[in-house]
Amino acid sequence: MTKSLAARSEVDRRFTWDSESVFPDGTGWERGVEEILSRLPDLEEFKGHLGESPDALADWFDANERAHRLMAKLMVYSTMSY
């Protein structure tokens, strides 16, 4: 006996992931993608400078962590929405 899954639009909202808890809608997700893309040049500026000082390394860790957190949020929303 083969069963197929219902489309997300056919499933009662009570039984779906609450993607709105991550981003209110697809537009919020798109703004997040734009923000990640705009941060890439900032991360590139650290290339070749991480060993210059402890502050430079700490600044990179901070910038990298912020970018990774937003990327994780984007991935969670995408997965939940799928």
Side-chain angles (χ1 to χ4, degrees), residues 57-67:
L57 183 59
D59 289 344
W60 178 83
F61 275 121
D62 185 48
N64 185 56
E65 178 68 19
R66 283 193 315 270

Side-chain angles (χ1 to χ4, degrees), residues 20 22-40 66-67 70-71 73-75 77-78:
E20 290 83 17
V22 182
F23 288 105
D25 55 27
T27 303
W29 181 85
E30 289 173 9
R31 281 194 300 265
V33 170
E34 290 170 8
E35 185 176 341
I36 280 289
L37 294 175
S38 72
R39 287 184 187 183
L40 293 178
R66 283 193 315 270
L70 180 54
M71 181 60 76
K73 192 174 173 181
L74 292 167
M75 290 187 307
Y77 180 85
S78 298

